[in-house]
Amino acid sequence: MNFRKLLAGLLLSALTLGLPAAEPETKKSASPSAAGKKASKARPGGQSERTCALTLTWWESPPLAEGDTLELGVQDDFGVTPINPPTMNASGTILYEGPGTVAIVRKTLVPDPSGKPGAKPVEGWAPFTSFPLGAADREVLGIMFPSPGNVLVRTFNIDVETFPFGGFHVYNYAKSRLICSMGNKTFTAEPSARAISPLVMTKREVVNFYLGLPEAEGKLRILYRAPLILSEKMRRLYFVLEKPTEDEDDRFVTHTLMIHVSGHKTIEVLRNGQTASKGPNPQESEGASSGPPEGQVTPPVK
């Protein structure tokens, strides 16, 4: 099995424990001409149920048949906004103003809205998947997981008030309690929970990091240890998963998603059509060698 698919399966299994699959909303397909356009009227009452800066990314690219394409959009109170989600990359943020359940739609052939007998199908938008937003969500990251017959979306509140740049959040989807340390500040990552590093960077510097597994008699088995190049311009989501294996050195896997300040967009910025702030290229050196190889924890340090 491809390692990337194994990692996706592990995280999908962890995320869906107690998390119902998101079912597509059943609603009338939007007109093809409405794609990318904003209507002149909002919902009755003039205010949308939810308003947020929405970023969508695939955990892994969905498998497509040869010659097939996947054109997606987000349906809100004003029409359909076309999207092209990257893979594990927090870019392409859009302004969402709509119901509490976000409907992602796919461009396809739909019945002719005229209803004339024998009329050929026309290009339009059909339900693809959906997911709920929290009432307080203003900046949201949605990670899309392709699975047989459906696509599941897991959302993360990334408001800068709770997840500032320079921050480091650990999502422990392993079954074991883990101990983390950054710059000599230690914190615990409980199973199926988020742990927030107490260290928030205010400048670019090298910080010692380790991830450990508590053992009997107060001992700690180090799973990963390395100096990280961190800065106040980057925030990171660090996922830890556990593989079903008897090989203790190959039991834990990790993956990191980094969000750079240069691509940060707020609701206000999106309404004004501007970028929130400018900075160096997100691919600069501070993110190039900042952790374990993609998807894999290195063997314990002796």
Side-chain angles (χ1 to χ4, degrees), residues 55-130:
T55 305
L56 293 166
T57 181
W58 291 104
W59 175 266
E60 64 171 348
S61 299
L64 295 175
E66 185 176 354
D68 199 5
T69 60
L70 186 61
E71 295 184 62
L72 301 178
V74 173
Q75 176 90 55
D76 65 9
D77 289 339
F78 300 90
V80 175
T81 300
I83 58 173
N84 184 24
T87 300
M88 288 305 279
N89 187 310
S91 62
T93 304
I94 65 170
L95 177 64
Y96 176 79
E97 297 175 284
T101 297
V102 178
I104 299 180
V105 291
R106 178 179 185 177
K107 185 172 286 188
T108 185
L109 293 178
V110 299
D112 190 316
S114 69
K116 295 180 179 179
K120 294 182 179 181
V122 298
E123 194 175 63
W125 298 98
F128 182 69
T129 191
S130 63

Side-chain angles (χ1 to χ4, degrees), residues 182-206:
M182 295 189 68
N184 296 320
K185 292 183 180 292
T186 302
F187 58 104
T188 302
E190 299 292 346
S192 303
R194 178 186 65 170
I196 300 175
S197 169
L199 181 64
V200 177
M201 306 306 297
T202 57
K203 62 181 180 179
R204 187 176 188 270
E205 62 180 299
V206 176

Side-chain angles (χ1 to χ4, degrees), residues 126-142:
F128 182 69
T129 191
S130 63
F131 59 93
L133 290 174
D137 289 347
R138 289 182 59 80
E139 295 181 35
V140 177
L141 170 69

